[in-house]
Amino acid sequence: LPEPAPYRRFVTWLVDQDRDAAKSAWRKVLDGFDTPTIVGPPGRLALGRRGVESFQVSTETTEGLVELARSQHTTVSTVLQAGWAQVLMMMTGQPDVVFGTAVSGRPADVAGADSMMGMLLNTVPVRARATALSTVADLLSQVQRDHNDTFEHEHLALAEIQHLVGHEQLFDTLFVYENYPIDTAAL
């Protein structure tokens, strides 16, 4: 195999990023967010039960998700994130929720980032707000807009983002959407 790109390239890129711009973008997206989205039991001192569930959705459902994303000029990931946000809104009774999502942390402008070895992954918050008058299109637009506004700033550490808005913890759920082909028979 060819030698992977040096991790130093990523570290150098990270140091050169405009931290003030990143902080400003995250402050703007999270401005006015007051109540962390916590669905686990309060006062929990230890990690809860862990598990992995796997299921397949029908071709009809998949086609519906793809069509909804296409008609709203967004991605299937955004549609599913908005769906998770609605679940959180129902669970918490809050119309303004935040959850985490994992990002690759592999900037396109770092040569060789796609083959680099090292800790590049990051978790960033996703905020979703709805009112009694909000439509699904409104929610999708807001989630997509916030993503677009923070995409270049996904390198900022979650702890720092939380500190910026005055919370030790913004959420306790994580949404991960993986959209690469996989050979399920090999599993």
Side-chain angles (χ1 to χ4, degrees):
L1 295 174
E3 189 170 318
Y7 186 66
R8 179 178 294 278
R9 282 186 198 162
F10 172 72
V11 174
T12 301
W13 173 87
L14 191 58
V15 168
D16 290 341
Q17 295 311 294
D18 184 343
R19 295 179 54 76
D20 291 334
K23 290 176 181 180
S24 177
W26 285 109
R27 272 191 200 104
K28 182 179 176 189
V29 165
L30 295 167
D31 183 46
F33 183 73
D34 298 322
T35 307
T37 308
I38 308 298
V39 297
R44 176 180 58 200
L45 298 175
L47 293 176
R49 183 177 54 94
R50 299 285 188 240
V52 174
E53 298 294 330
S54 179
F55 62 94
Q56 290 184 321
V57 295
S58 69
T59 301
E60 182 180 274
T61 299
T62 302
E63 289 171 354
L65 291 168
V66 169
E67 181 52 37
L68 176 58
R70 185 178 295 122
S71 72
Q72 297 301 310
H73 309 286
T74 193
T75 64
V76 171
S77 178
T78 299
V79 170
L80 294 173
Q81 286 180 1
W84 181 243
Q86 290 179 316
V87 168
L88 291 173
M89 288 174 190
M90 288 185 283
M91 289 177 70
T92 64
Q94 299 294 321
D96 188 0
V97 297
V98 171
F99 56 92
T101 192
V103 294
S104 75
R106 296 180 181 275
D109 53 341
V110 174
D114 58 332
S115 66
M116 199 171 285
M117 294 177 62
M119 287 297 296
L120 290 93
L121 187 73
N122 195 18
T123 299
V124 296
V126 176
R127 183 179 187 184
R129 300 173 295 283
T131 67
L133 300 176
S134 296
T135 64
V136 170
D138 295 334
L139 183 59
L140 291 171
S141 176
Q142 178 261 304
V143 170
Q144 184 66 53
R145 184 177 53 254
D146 286 354
H147 169 76
N148 292 345
D149 292 347
T150 57
F151 180 73
E152 292 179 11
H153 309 291
E154 290 179 340
H155 59 276
L156 200 62
L158 178 59
E160 191 164 357
I161 294 168
Q162 292 177 146
H163 178 74
L164 286 172
V165 295
H167 293 288
E168 284 188 36
Q169 182 179 18
L170 290 171
F171 54 84
D172 67 351
T173 64
L174 184 68
F175 179 89
V176 179
Y177 174 69
E178 297 177 3
N179 64 343
Y180 54 85
I182 187 168
D183 180 7
T184 56
L187 299 174

